[in-house]
Amino acid sequence: LAQTVERVRWGVLGPGTVATRAVIPAIQASATGRVVAVASRDPARAAAVAAALAIPRAHTGYAALLADPEVEAVYLALPNHLHRPWTLAAAHAGKHVLCEKPLALNAAEASEMAAACRAAGRLLMEAAMYRFHPRLLRLKELVAGGALGAIRLIHAAFTFPLTARDNYRLRPEMGGGALLDVGLYSVGATRWLAGREPVAVQAVAEAWAPHGIDRQLAGLLDFGEGCFATVQCSFGAAEHQVIEIIGTVGVARAPRAFTAWREEPAPLYWRGADGEERTETFEADPYALMVTHFDGCVRGQANPLHDAQDAIATLAILDALARAGQTADAQKP
Ligand SMILES: NC(=O)c1ccc[n+]([C@@H]2O[C@H](COP(=O)([O-])OP(=O)(O)OC[C@H]3O[C@@H](n4cnc5c(N)ncnc54)[C@H](OP(=O)(O)O)[C@@H]3O)[C@@H](O)[C@H]2O)c1
């Protein structure tokens, strides 16, 4: 007899783009969770989203959702500067938290959040959905299994032209800037694939004067033992995403590395020591895989593949890159 496990009862804070388009549908399509409530600052928006997405309860204000005894786990999809206060409030209310990226504005904030959730005995995970995509899991397996030899160089980039005029991404006080928004993907993936932490970083950054945020950054990570990574992010360049790895005997490349979704074919091009050029193609909804994994962790059936400590480590590198991008100690050619 198959054992039935009760579905995790989710509440959603902030019915914005990623919540309504990707994560709420993923939870609702899963066999492991269901969305029982949604909260907005605006009662009309809460009601409209609940009606449109068949969510049983609409709350006005995020505190009301945290006081809802039926909610076990919170998906937190608020602008970046609200990740810390509402994660702390959720932990206090005894809820598990799947928090959007970046987990916080810096490593210190994220450590405080992790400590609060740990003290409450609740799970905290950053919604790093790309790490659940089978294509990147295959890439990780190739690297870890030595198919490319020892890893010498990694390149990761995520750029797009930000045309919105009024958006938290443009506001420093809301955790705006290209590094936190999309640089996080390249840095998080690079550390994960390298399988260790960089010993030093360097960066050049361009400030976006009218907004007071970084528009673009190029960074170098030194992982020691002759393994270097370049990371690039921009709000002022054409849409582009890639991960490339060069090892001592092979190479691999994943285009549109981070946001491949649902039926979008996600190719992995690679060549190992035998010199044969290979293409493997994957299709998946990484949001669905992420929420199912989170539900398994809540029910004690799995351990988090990527815990809060991992997100803190990525933020520590972002902090160092931001500092490096502000210093003028580069050598003149
Ligand atoms: N993993 C991914 O694929 C992915 C993709 C995009 C974004 N994200 C992350 O998800 C988070 C939300 O991004 P989004 O693009 O979905 O944002 P969005 O569309 O602007 O939605 C943000 C939501 O936050 C709420 N909010 C509360 N205070 C706000 C304020 N002062 N200003 C604006 N909104 C406020 C709003 O809900 P109410 O007003 O209704 O309460 C709004 O619906 C960010 O942390 C972002 O980095 C992740």
Side-chain angles (χ1 to χ4, degrees):
L1 271 181
Q3 203 156 15
T4 50
V5 176
E6 200 204 342
R7 288 173 186 246
V8 172
R9 301 182 302 274
W10 288 84
V12 175
L13 296 185
T17 315
V18 65
T20 55
R21 289 191 61 220
V23 178
I24 293 172
I27 297 169
Q28 290 178 323
S30 78
T32 56
R34 60 195 174 96
V35 180
V36 298
V38 62
S40 167
R41 296 171 298 174
D42 174 357
R45 185 155 53 241
V49 170
L53 297 176
I55 298 169
R57 271 193 307 293
H59 292 292
T60 302
Y62 309 137
L65 184 139
L66 296 184
D68 183 335
E70 201 192 1
V71 171
E72 289 177 275
V74 165
Y75 168 57
L76 202 160
L78 303 172
N80 300 343
H81 69 304
L82 297 177
H83 293 180
R84 173 187 167 274
W86 286 105
T87 293
L88 296 179
H92 190 64
K95 315 295 188 190
H96 302 283
V97 181
L98 176 65
C99 179
E100 264 308 334
K101 44 62 60 173
L103 184 58
L105 302 189
N106 52 55
E109 275 194 359
S111 298
E112 182 189 0
M113 292 154 66
C117 291
R118 202 167 41 242
R122 294 296 179 268
L123 185 62
L124 172 62
M125 209 172 94
E126 184 188 58
M129 79 299 177
Y130 66 93
R131 294 210 188 160
F132 294 89
H133 199 291
R135 180 206 12 205
L136 290 194
L137 290 168
R138 173 68 174 142
L139 177 58
K140 171 84 172 147
E141 177 185 87
L142 288 175
V143 168
L148 311 179
I151 301 309
R152 305 286 293 164
L153 296 158
I154 305 177
H155 173 63
F158 193 153
T159 65
F160 75 102
L162 179 58
T163 52
R165 297 207 164 177
D166 185 22
N167 189 274
Y168 68 87
R169 291 176 176 83
L170 291 167
R171 294 173 181 263
E173 73 282 8
M174 296 178 83
L179 182 61
L180 271 178
D181 191 48
V182 284
L184 172 134
Y185 286 101
S186 291
V187 171
T190 301
R191 309 180 25 250
W192 178 55
L193 290 165
R196 58 185 191 262
E197 302 301 329
V199 292
V201 311
Q202 298 177 26
V204 283
E206 179 202 14
W208 200 350
H211 302 293
I213 57 156
D214 56 298
R215 174 155 60 179
Q216 171 162 302
L217 180 140
L220 279 173
L221 312 183
D222 179 354
F223 285 95
E225 295 169 33
C227 176
F228 305 148
T230 52
V231 289
Q232 299 175 341
C233 57
S234 182
F235 281 163
E239 163 79 36
H240 182 65
Q241 300 174 26
V242 72
I243 296 175
E244 280 182 317
I245 301 188
I246 310 177
T248 47
V249 301
V251 298
R253 182 166 66 90
R256 264 183 70 72
F258 301 108
T259 62
W261 191 30
R262 290 186 182 159
E263 62 278 359
E264 180 179 338
L268 177 65
Y269 305 105
W270 70 278
R271 183 180 81 225
D274 64 6
E276 188 187 330
E277 301 283 352
R278 296 174 174 83
T279 304
E280 296 178 21
T281 305
F282 302 82
E283 275 182 26
D285 179 348
Y287 298 96
L289 296 164
M290 173 178 74
V291 299
T292 298
H293 175 69
F294 189 92
D295 289 339
C297 294
V298 167
R299 288 286 174 260
Q301 298 173 323
N303 290 317
L305 288 172
H306 312 290
D307 59 10
Q309 214 51 47
D310 182 90
I312 293 167
T314 294
L315 281 165
I317 296 165
L318 295 189
D319 292 347
L321 284 168
R323 286 196 303 273
Q326 282 166 3
T327 61
D329 57 3
Q331 303 298 308
K332 291 253 187 291

